[in-house]
Amino acid sequence: IWIGVLLGAVYWVLESLLHVFVFQEGEFLSQLLTRDPHEVWKRLMVVGLLTAFSLYAQRGINVRRRTEEALKASETKYRTLFREALNPVFLLNEQGGFLEYNQAAIEFFECGPRELMGKDFQSFFSDGNALTGEDRTPLDPGRGDTEVDYRVDGRTKTLVVNIVPVTISGESLYYGIGQDITQRKQMEKNLALAHAELNQIFQTASVAMRLIDQDFNVLKTNETFAELSGVAAREAVGKKCFDVFAGTKCHTVGCPVTRVLQGDQEIDYELYKQRRDGTSVPCLLTARPFVGTDGKPVGIVESFKDITELKRAQEEVRTERDKLRHILFQQFEGVGILRSDYTIVYQNATLSEQIGPCEGEKCYRALRERDTPCKVCYMHEATATGKLTRCELDTSSGKSYEHTYTPVS
């Protein structure tokens, strides 16, 4: 406004000088302080117009200044974001050459601060055509994110990049932003390898195994389980555990899933499980918690060992033992069992009647009333030759017995 007032004052003075020197209308002071209404109104109108014009011009200048400051601040912000971005960011020309790039891009490509300038973006990647069209433009924008590999010093680095076309000052450029996923790819590779190893161990385990969640759903089974139960993995997965290879503990308080979820850390059962063909198979079941990422149980891991042969062997041993016991107790002859250290560990009723109770005693003391082993030991002779050894035994009571030693293993 002060510029308008100043211009008005200058105009007032010039108008007065014009009347004095051009129109010869009196002295300068009288013209400067004229009271002519028409002249005063005219001069005031011009002063007002000059003031209004000054105000308008100042407003335009202010708008322009604010616009320039906003643009400068925006450019500063853009450049700050560009430089400080943690991901590689770059600007390419129409031929795919680098125009601008940030520190993250320099670190990814492992080049000096000025080595990237003007280099072809495509030349860094093993598959140069992966990011170009037929016209060699940097990237078909319709592809979106693209994963590319970059080889440097014998190492492979992976970049997920998205490049979009932009127009700046009428020039066609390409703006790119990428993400270095090298570590993520390596972790994924290691994780996939670990899963493969665990799955191989799981599938080739000599015992049948299955994984069950807290809702009794079968999540996974191995090949041994399929052989034992007669149910393939594709049929078992997704079904309830008590519908696949049900056992005598199903729907009871002894259910392994229920017990583990209630806090038990390990369960061992000897029980019978029903195969698909309806036959029952004796199994040794072991159940342990299957924990989630938070360390809390989300299910159980069951393992089954077929103990059919063990059961059969136990039954055979039990049968033979019962037969032997029956034979020994039904014998009308005295029978005893000796260890190699001369200790009597068993005697039947007949032998007890003949020489009295002597289990735990040395045979040479119980049978021959000696304090030391016999010089000729028929027991050792029998075990050494593997044949029956016979001798006569005379007791202090005057009775004589035929004594036979039979080696046993």
Side-chain angles (χ1 to χ4, degrees):
I1 190 172
W2 292 107
I3 294 176
V5 172
L6 180 60
L7 290 175
V10 171
Y11 165 75
W12 194 292
V13 172
L14 292 176
E15 180 69 17
S16 299
L17 291 174
L18 182 65
H19 280 276
V20 172
F21 294 105
V22 176
F23 299 110
Q24 302 294 321
E25 292 182 356
E27 296 180 355
F28 171 73
L29 186 58
S30 62
Q31 290 297 326
L32 185 64
L33 303 176
T34 183
R35 295 183 179 181
D36 183 356
H38 177 75
E39 188 67 27
V40 172
W41 176 84
K42 182 180 69 171
R43 292 183 183 183
L44 289 175
M45 184 178 66
V46 172
V47 171
L49 290 173
L50 290 172
T51 303
F53 176 77
S54 298
L55 289 173
Y56 179 79
Q58 185 62 44
R59 181 182 178 187
I61 293 172
N62 291 339
V63 169
R64 181 176 178 180
R65 182 182 298 144
R66 285 195 296 270
T67 303
E68 290 176 349
E69 290 176 353
L71 287 173
K72 185 176 180 181
S74 178
E75 183 178 0
T76 301
K77 184 185 296 184
Y78 160 77
R79 297 228 171 248
T80 301
L81 291 173
F82 189 92
R83 288 193 305 269
E84 301 300 327
L86 298 178
N87 293 327
V89 180
F90 42 83
L91 188 66
L92 308 175
N93 60 26
E94 195 170 5
Q95 290 73 41
F98 283 94
L99 295 178
E100 291 189 47
Y101 39 84
N102 66 350
Q103 183 62 31
I106 294 173
E107 293 174 357
F108 177 82
F109 292 108
E110 299 187 21
C111 294
R114 298 187 177 278
E115 289 183 38
L116 285 178
M117 189 63 69
K119 279 195 174 183
D120 184 3
F121 175 74
Q122 309 300 331
S123 64
F124 285 95
F125 302 101
S126 56
D127 185 2
N129 295 324
L131 301 177
T132 60
E134 295 180 357
D135 57 354
R136 298 296 297 172
T137 54
L139 184 64
D140 176 7
R143 296 187 186 181
D145 291 343
T146 303
E147 188 176 304
V148 290
D149 291 331
Y150 169 50
R151 294 282 298 175
V152 55
D153 295 335
R155 296 175 288 114
T156 299
K157 305 178 76 172
T158 304
L159 184 71
V160 172
V161 61
N162 188 8
I163 301 180
V164 295
V166 294
T167 301
I168 300 177
S169 301
E171 185 179 3
S172 295
L173 304 175
Y174 292 89
Y175 178 77
I177 182 169
Q179 182 181 4
D180 184 357
I181 61 169
T182 304
Q183 290 185 350
R184 192 187 79 187
K185 291 284 287 185
Q186 186 61 43
M187 290 176 62
E188 290 175 352
K189 182 179 179 180
N190 294 340
L191 185 61
L193 180 60
H195 277 302
E197 291 175 348
L198 288 176
N199 187 63
Q200 184 177 5
I201 294 172
F202 182 80
Q203 292 298 335
T204 58
S206 60
V207 295
M209 299 179 68
R210 69 177 175 182
L211 182 62
I212 304 171
D213 69 12
Q214 57 189 351
D215 296 320
F216 304 94
N217 297 309
V218 178
L219 301 179
K220 192 172 185 178
T221 65
N222 67 352
E223 295 177 2
T224 311
F225 178 86
E227 294 172 2
L228 178 63
S229 65
V231 182
R234 62 179 180 276
E235 300 177 62
V237 172
K239 293 184 179 179
K240 299 297 183 182
C241 59
F242 46 77
D243 291 331
V244 179
F245 207 46
T248 52
K249 295 294 183 179
C250 294
H251 306 294
T252 70
V253 293
C255 168
V257 176
T258 302
R259 286 189 54 184
V260 168
L261 294 179
Q262 288 177 348
D264 287 355
Q265 294 301 307
E266 183 171 344
I267 301 169
D268 291 305
Y269 280 139
E270 191 174 300
L271 75 174
Y272 281 86
K273 285 286 186 176
Q274 190 170 17
R275 293 169 49 87
R276 163 171 264 179
D277 59 11
T279 59
S280 292
V281 55
C283 295
L284 179 62
L285 178 149
T286 301
R288 293 184 177 86
F290 174 60
V291 298
T293 55
D294 58 357
K296 296 181 180 179
V298 294
I300 69 169
V301 179
E302 282 186 336
S303 62
F304 306 91
K305 187 173 183 179
D306 184 356
I307 57 173
T308 302
E309 294 301 323
L310 177 61
K311 281 286 188 181
R312 184 179 294 113
Q314 289 176 342
E315 186 61 29
E316 290 177 356
V317 170
R318 187 180 299 110
T319 300
E320 293 299 322
R321 184 187 61 197
D322 291 343
K323 287 181 181 179
L324 177 61
R325 185 180 296 275
H326 180 74
I327 292 172
L328 291 176
F329 275 100
Q330 295 301 320
Q331 281 281 355
F332 294 103
E333 297 178 346
V335 178
I337 299 176
L338 308 179
R339 285 205 304 255
S340 59
D341 64 350
Y342 311 102
T343 302
I344 301 173
V345 295
Y346 173 79
Q347 66 180 143
N348 67 356
T350 303
L351 183 61
S352 297
E353 292 175 359
Q354 292 173 347
I355 63 173
C358 56
E359 287 186 10
E361 293 187 22
K362 302 295 184 181
C363 60
Y364 51 79
R365 183 175 296 112
L367 300 177
R368 298 185 182 273
E369 299 178 353
R370 292 173 57 91
D371 293 328
T372 59
C374 304
K375 293 182 178 180
V376 178
C377 180
Y378 295 99
M379 177 187 69
H380 283 173
E381 183 179 341
T383 55
T385 62
K387 298 179 181 180
L388 296 178
T389 303
R390 290 186 174 88
C391 65
E392 291 185 357
L393 172 65
D394 297 324
T395 64
S396 59
S397 62
K399 293 183 179 181
S400 297
Y401 297 97
E402 183 182 36
H403 204 175
T404 302
Y405 290 91
T406 303
V408 293
S409 55

